[in-house]
Amino acid sequence: MSVRQGMTRTHRLPTALVPVVGLLVGAALGIAARAWMRLIATDPEFTWNGTMFIVLGFTVFGFAQGAAIATRRATDRRWMVTAARAFGFVGTLPLFMAAGGIMMPTVICGGLARHRTDWPTWTRTVFVVLGSTSIAFVGLQLHDDWGWGWRWWAGMAGLFAVYGAVISLERGSMPPQQDGWRLPGVVRVVAVVVGLLAMVLPVVGAGLA
């Protein structure tokens, strides 16, 4: 073992602390997300209940991803890793409460495009395009409110920063398992289509309501 490898392993974060760090990172992201929402709002209303709700959602997300990452580091047993990935995904759902639902395609499709390295490039590219729809929608909304002023640029920068970090943290739930087993191709296609419909239809319905 080289000195560099030894130092890397020595300073590696203990697995037991990963969920705690995930929780703290999630809370920090929640605070950043609240500040971003305050920045882009045309008629901001600051309430402690709303702020705590947002920060708590991101905190749950961070903890769930940290727990999933820790499980992946601790074991390669399929049922345990599968359960951890499911827990990590469920922990993502609080991000989509209320107005956060509009970012669901970006979080899920972006996470799949970023972390499913076992998928063909064209498939991941399709998910990048699908995930970009939410960003485009928010960008257009911000432009309607602020034009090309500094708030638009700051708002878009904040959007990419917050949700880029969210997608990066999804390495607990989104990457494939490393034991070589995969669902049949048809099953995977059907699952992805059903999942996308489950994401898109509620958003479309809310827009038509």
Side-chain angles (χ1 to χ4, degrees):
M1 178 188 300
S2 67
V3 174
R4 184 175 182 180
Q5 289 175 327
M7 292 179 63
T8 300
R9 293 188 179 185
T10 301
H11 292 88
R12 190 181 185 187
L13 184 67
T15 299
L17 293 180
V18 174
V20 178
V21 173
L23 183 149
L24 295 175
V25 172
L29 273 176
I31 294 172
R34 182 64 184 94
W36 172 74
M37 293 174 190
R38 172 64 177 80
L39 171 68
I40 66 173
T42 55
D43 186 19
E45 296 182 2
F46 181 88
T47 65
W48 281 110
N49 287 339
T51 297
M52 293 302 295
F53 183 79
I54 293 167
V55 173
L56 180 60
F58 277 84
T59 301
V60 170
F61 164 75
F63 173 77
Q65 295 302 320
I69 293 170
T71 301
R72 284 176 174 271
R73 286 175 53 172
T75 183
D76 58 359
R77 292 184 179 180
R78 165 158 287 275
W79 71 270
M80 293 184 68
V81 175
T82 298
R85 293 176 69 199
F87 178 69
F89 181 79
V90 171
T92 304
L93 300 182
L95 300 181
F96 310 138
M97 302 299 291
I102 192 63
M103 295 305 297
M104 184 184 293
T106 293
V107 172
I108 295 181
C109 294
L112 290 171
R114 169 66 178 82
H115 297 290
R116 290 310 302 246
T117 55
D118 59 321
W119 285 0
T121 300
W122 71 267
T123 303
R124 297 171 72 187
T125 301
V126 169
F127 276 88
V128 169
V129 173
L130 293 173
S132 298
T133 55
S134 295
I135 297 174
F137 179 83
V138 173
L140 291 173
Q141 289 292 103
L142 291 180
H143 184 267
D144 289 341
D145 294 333
W146 304 109
W148 296 110
W150 71 269
R151 279 185 182 262
W152 186 89
W153 292 100
M156 292 303 294
L159 177 68
F160 278 99
V162 170
Y163 284 95
V166 166
I167 289 172
S168 180
L169 276 178
E170 289 182 295
R171 63 191 184 92
S173 57
M174 290 297 187
Q177 296 181 198
Q178 301 300 321
D179 57 5
W181 187 86
R182 296 290 182 271
L183 284 171
V186 174
V187 176
R188 280 185 285 171
V189 170
V190 171
V192 169
V193 170
V194 171
L196 289 175
L197 289 176
M199 288 188 295
V200 172
L201 291 181
V203 175
V204 173
L208 296 176

